Amino acid sequence: RRFLASKEQFHAYLRAGGQPGGHVGGGGEEEEVEVKEKKEEVGSCQSEPPAKRVRLEDLGQDGESQEDAGAEKEPAERKRARGQNKNRPCMKPNHYEQSRLCPSVSQGCAEKCYFGPRCRFLHDIGKYMAAKPADLGRSCVLFETFGKCIYGVTCRFAQAHLGDGYQNIINADLAKQWEGKSLVRNNLSKDLQHQLRKRKFSFKKADEYLCALAKTHGDGGKGGKATGRSKEEQEVSNCTTPQEGLGDSPECPVLPEQEEYPKTDALQSPGLTGGEEASSIKTVGPVTDEDIIKLRSCEKKKLEIQGKLYLAPLTTCGNLPFRRICKRFGADVTCGEMAVCTNLLQGQSSEWALLKRHHTEDIFGVQLEGAFPDTMTKCAELLNQTIEVDFVDINVGCPIDLVYKKGGGCALMTRSNKFEQIVRGMNSVLDVPLTVKIRTGVQEKINVAHKIIPKIREWGASMVTLHGRSREQRYTRGADWDYIAECAKIASPMPLFGNGDILSYEDANRAMQMGVSGIMIARQVPVGALIKPWLFTEIKEQRHWDISSSERFDILKDFTNYGLEHWGSDTQGVEKTRKFLLEWLSFLCRYIPVGLLEHLPQKINERPPYYMGRDYLETLMASQNVDDWIKISELLLGPVPTSFTFLPKHKANSYR
């Protein structure tokens, strides 16, 4: 009972800044906690603390103890908020736009301003420095890591690398070590963006597949919607006219019977590199086997990840800095956030940013979302030619209405014709393995995954990941691991990864005994990679880690450093790092320290009462109040801008 507290006591302690007067039980009890902390060994397996919290059967329905329930002033009928916070306010800071330094000046080439006489940015460094907010710290992570900060005077830690006359200091020896090394790959070049926006990129393989598909299904396919038919009819008309950049139009090959694999005939092109396919320049030299022999599906690169820990693609929070944190804790396979194929084909920079890969990610894939074979196949060929990935994943598990109502995500499980065309088409244009992530079904009590998985294997996918919940369940209730085990037997010899409710190394061991090839670790309310990124270490070392608040704070420090490297150390980069830090804190606050638990491990959907941590920082990290998250961000990134607001993605994540 020593750690239990009422809502008022909890927030009074935080308002008091951790002073003894605000702690439950007074100062003597706090001293006892401090003595206990000194005896704890960092990272060791802890037994239950002597003073246990109230048993679950002694708690009220709202999670409060019976003693505190009477003192609670809030009405008992208040329900927990559900759903998403739609139309969230834009958090882009505008206060620095009016006095922003021109990029040409910050990069040391003021005489060549990119905007010419129309430039609305400042060119006077002295005037800019007079209006610039105070620096946030004495050390710049970019300067200390790479020997040079490319943001110069605009850096919010500029005092670490500015000399006389606001000259940017460079550590030549350290900078030379990183010279020529590519730390982040899969960037969108201006030339490629121009080709996509002007529709000049060549989709030779995709056009051949879609041309044959339209020839066989001239009516747009069974069950096709108006939008799908119009796009496929456009492909039919494109088959009769010369393709731009492809020379003379080839005859449209006839697609074999629907049961056969489309790429086994005319849809399979020789195994050339992406650059050779897009180029019309004739090559010279002897003809080799690679020039004339087609690459069969069995000769494609294999995806050897059986038994490895797979970090799921997490929308918003699964960014590159977060994946670096998980890689450090033992994640073997990482995947970028879900990217919408139509946005990639339009050359949107924000969507291409989701494909970026850090050099430490040795096994990396990207996940695509789309509803029609034309856009998905073209996008697969585009990525096959322009970026470096080890596999491409199709999102057939997204439950949100915005995706589902357009025919993507879980809706593809009910549109088998389109689903088949997408898988076959993408597999025909990719040189890397194609994987699929699905759910048990759309409706809660009607499982259909066991019927779809054999078809996916026949269509040519290399692996399937099954989330043990339906679309209607979303992320609530328990995952059906018995059904996942049944599907794993049906999928054999194709690997099947299981996903859902992996809360500890014990759950991971039970999951592997179900016969799956591996496990995917995702958001997992209330515990998982977002709430507990060190879960990968626990699984590999087969132990419960009672991680201290200072160690957790060091993880947040590393995240902010990675964020400043990735998004920049100027004002815009700092605020973007803060935004994603706050998004992550909306999940991190649900973690309950192992040393405070009465029984191990923590169970899913087990909502604890208000509790006091073993120190002020641990209590602050347990708060679900937005203002407390902002306070944590200020400890790392300095004060927030004027009139700063943050609203989490999900209503259940916080309150004010």
Side-chain angles (χ1 to χ4, degrees):
R1 294 177 179 270
R2 170 160 53 99
F3 299 108
L4 281 175
S6 67
K7 181 177 179 180
E8 289 78 10
Q9 290 171 323
F10 179 85
H11 290 293
Y13 174 70
L14 291 181
R15 283 194 298 269
Q19 297 300 320
H23 196 287
V24 178
E29 194 169 347
E30 186 176 22
E31 292 175 2
E32 179 185 350
V33 175
E34 291 176 355
V35 172
K36 179 179 179 293
E37 277 189 334
K38 292 179 181 178
K39 294 181 180 179
E40 289 179 344
E41 186 175 351
V42 174
S44 63
C45 295
Q46 294 284 327
S47 58
E48 296 175 356
K52 300 179 181 179
R53 63 179 176 85
V54 179
R55 294 181 180 274
L56 292 177
E57 54 264 29
D58 296 335
L59 298 179
Q61 292 182 351
D62 58 349
E64 301 286 347
S65 65
Q66 297 292 347
E67 297 175 359
D68 295 332
E72 187 66 46
K73 296 182 180 180
E74 287 200 9
E77 64 271 15
R78 181 180 177 183
K79 295 183 179 180
R80 182 166 62 95
R82 293 179 179 273
Q84 289 185 330
N85 283 317
K86 299 181 180 179
N87 300 322
R88 292 195 292 170
C90 178
M91 291 185 294
K92 182 179 179 181
N94 298 318
H95 66 281
Y96 66 93
E97 291 287 349
Q98 299 174 354
S99 57
R100 192 174 178 182
L101 192 65
C102 180
S104 62
V105 178
S106 60
Q107 295 174 11
C109 50
E111 65 279 357
K112 297 180 180 179
C113 180
Y114 309 118
F115 307 103
R118 298 176 301 165
C119 183
R120 58 185 177 87
F121 299 122
L122 293 176
H123 284 252
D124 186 348
I125 296 181
K127 186 177 179 181
Y128 168 79
M129 293 299 291
K132 180 187 174 184
D135 282 354
L136 301 176
R138 295 180 177 274
S139 61
C140 173
V141 63
L142 293 177
F143 179 72
E144 291 182 351
T145 305
F146 305 109
K148 178 183 179 181
C149 179
I150 60 175
Y151 297 93
V153 294
T154 63
C155 176
R156 294 301 303 276
F157 309 87
Q159 58 180 313
H161 50 79
L162 282 188
D164 298 334
Y166 304 121
Q167 291 296 317
N168 198 20
I169 300 174
I170 299 176
N171 185 338
D173 295 335
L174 186 56
K176 191 174 182 180
Q177 297 177 12
W178 294 98
E179 189 175 354
K181 293 183 180 179
S182 177
L183 302 179
V184 178
R185 290 170 279 178
N186 301 346
N187 294 298
L188 175 64
S189 65
K190 290 294 182 183
D191 181 54
L192 176 59
Q193 188 178 46
H194 179 78
Q195 290 183 48
L196 293 173
R197 288 178 174 176
K198 298 298 181 181
R199 299 185 179 181
K200 292 183 178 180
F201 191 87
S202 171
F203 298 100
K204 183 179 179 180
K205 285 184 178 182
D207 286 336
E208 287 179 354
Y209 173 81
L210 295 169
C211 184
L213 189 65
K215 191 86 169 181
T216 304
H217 305 282
D219 58 348
K222 295 180 181 179
K225 302 242 175 158
T227 54
R229 285 198 298 269
S230 63
K231 291 182 179 180
E232 290 175 358
E233 287 168 3
Q234 184 179 359
E235 296 298 338
V236 176
S237 62
N238 288 342
C239 291
T240 60
T241 58
Q243 298 291 333
E244 186 175 2
L246 297 179
D248 296 332
S249 174
E251 294 185 2
C252 295
V254 179
L255 188 70
E257 294 295 327
Q258 191 168 0
E259 282 71 69
E260 295 178 8
Y261 197 21
K263 74 169 187 176
T264 58
D265 229 19
L267 296 183
Q268 179 65 30
S269 56
L272 303 177
T273 62
E276 292 172 338
E277 291 171 0
S279 175
S280 60
I281 301 176
K282 294 182 178 181
T283 58
V284 295
V287 178
T288 64
D289 289 344
E290 295 179 357
D291 296 322
I292 58 176
I293 299 178
K294 299 175 182 179
L295 184 69
R296 296 183 298 170
S297 58
C298 62
E299 296 174 332
K300 276 191 175 184
K301 179 184 176 183
K302 301 295 183 182
L303 187 61
E304 302 291 345
I305 62 173
Q306 284 83 351
K308 295 185 180 295
L309 297 180
Y310 184 173
L311 173 65
L314 303 169
T315 306
T316 304
C317 293
N319 45 66
L320 186 143
F322 175 76
R323 297 198 304 269
R324 289 182 65 181
I325 294 289
C326 292
K327 280 295 294 182
R328 200 185 71 188
F329 281 113
D332 299 311
V333 184
T334 54
C335 186
E337 301 174 63
M338 181 189 76
V340 181
C341 64
T342 50
N343 295 343
L344 294 174
L345 291 172
Q346 294 168 5
Q348 293 186 15
S349 301
S350 58
E351 206 73 19
W352 275 82
L354 306 178
L355 310 180
K356 290 185 178 181
R357 173 184 188 174
H358 195 260
H359 70 94
T360 57
E361 298 180 272
D362 46 353
I363 305 178
F364 175 76
V366 295
Q367 187 182 69
L368 299 180
E369 182 278 320
F372 299 100
D374 56 347
T375 52
M376 289 289 279
T377 305
K378 287 183 177 181
C379 188
E381 183 174 7
L382 169 65
L383 301 186
N384 191 62
Q385 296 186 25
T386 56
I387 67 173
E388 297 179 22
V389 291
D390 298 298
F391 63 92
V392 175
D393 186 66
I394 305 176
N395 188 328
V396 194
C398 184
I400 64 174
D401 294 339
L402 182 66
V403 173
Y404 181 81
K405 290 180 180 179
K406 293 182 179 179
C410 279
L412 282 176
M413 298 185 72
T414 63
R415 304 169 67 226
S416 57
N417 286 342
K418 295 297 181 189
F419 191 9
E420 177 182 2
Q421 293 166 7
I422 288 173
V423 175
R424 290 186 183 275
M426 293 179 68
N427 198 37
S428 68
V429 301
L430 285 171
D431 295 330
V432 295
L434 178 68
T435 65
V436 181
K437 186 174 188 291
I438 63 174
R439 284 178 175 254
T440 59
V442 176
Q443 295 174 310
E444 183 174 348
K445 296 182 180 179
I446 304 178
N447 294 332
V448 297
H450 64 283
K451 300 178 182 179
I452 297 176
I453 287 174
K455 297 179 181 179
I456 295 175
R457 181 184 61 215
E458 177 190 346
W459 299 337
S462 299
M463 190 188 82
V464 168
T465 302
L466 177 59
H467 185 176
R469 295 182 178 90
S470 64
R471 176 182 180 263
E472 287 185 352
Q473 287 179 271
R474 302 292 287 262
Y475 300 101
T476 61
R477 303 184 186 177
D480 190 348
W481 273 94
D482 292 331
Y483 182 66
I484 293 176
E486 178 186 341
C487 291
K489 296 177 182 177
I490 296 173
S492 182
M494 179 181 65
L496 184 142
F497 270 53
N499 175 223
D501 301 353
I502 305 298
L503 314 180
S504 66
Y505 76 90
E506 297 163 340
D507 294 328
N509 293 343
R510 281 192 292 268
M512 291 302 296
Q513 292 171 2
M514 292 288 186
V516 295
S517 301
I519 53 176
M520 173 185 280
I521 299 175
R523 62 185 75 237
Q524 304 306 352
V525 180
V527 181
L530 285 178
I531 288 85
K532 189 177 172 183
W534 53 91
L535 177 59
F536 300 99
T537 301
E538 291 189 350
I539 294 175
K540 290 194 170 182
E541 298 182 2
Q542 295 289 292
R543 66 185 177 100
H544 293 292
W545 185 358
D546 188 12
I547 188 168
S548 66
S549 59
S550 59
E551 289 176 298
R552 291 165 62 193
F553 191 72
D554 288 339
I555 295 173
L556 297 179
K557 279 183 181 178
D558 291 336
F559 177 84
T560 55
N561 288 338
Y562 295 158
L564 294 173
E565 285 183 30
H566 185 58
W567 292 302
S569 59
D570 58 348
T571 302
Q572 188 173 2
V574 167
E575 294 310 315
K576 186 169 286 190
T577 302
R578 190 193 306 275
K579 168 194 169 184
F580 286 107
L581 174 64
L582 291 171
E583 294 282 7
W584 188 21
L585 286 172
S586 70
F587 289 92
L588 275 174
C589 65
R590 301 186 185 189
Y591 171 71
I592 305 174
V594 170
L596 305 187
L597 288 174
E598 183 179 38
H599 58 83
L600 296 173
Q602 181 181 347
K603 299 297 183 181
I604 193 167
N605 293 336
E606 190 177 70
R607 303 188 71 85
Y610 285 95
Y611 67 91
M612 311 299 292
R614 292 164 291 190
D615 55 31
Y616 171 73
L617 187 57
E618 191 168 81
T619 308
L620 183 64
M621 289 179 173
S623 174
Q624 295 193 22
N625 191 334
V626 177
D627 295 330
D628 291 325
W629 304 343
I630 294 175
K631 187 183 299 183
I632 295 175
S633 78
E634 291 181 324
L635 295 176
L636 297 162
L637 294 169
V640 297
T642 308
S643 66
F644 177 85
T645 58
F646 173 73
L647 194 62
K649 194 173 182 180
H650 299 283
K651 294 178 182 177
N653 277 24
S654 74
Y655 60 88
R656 277 193 174 276

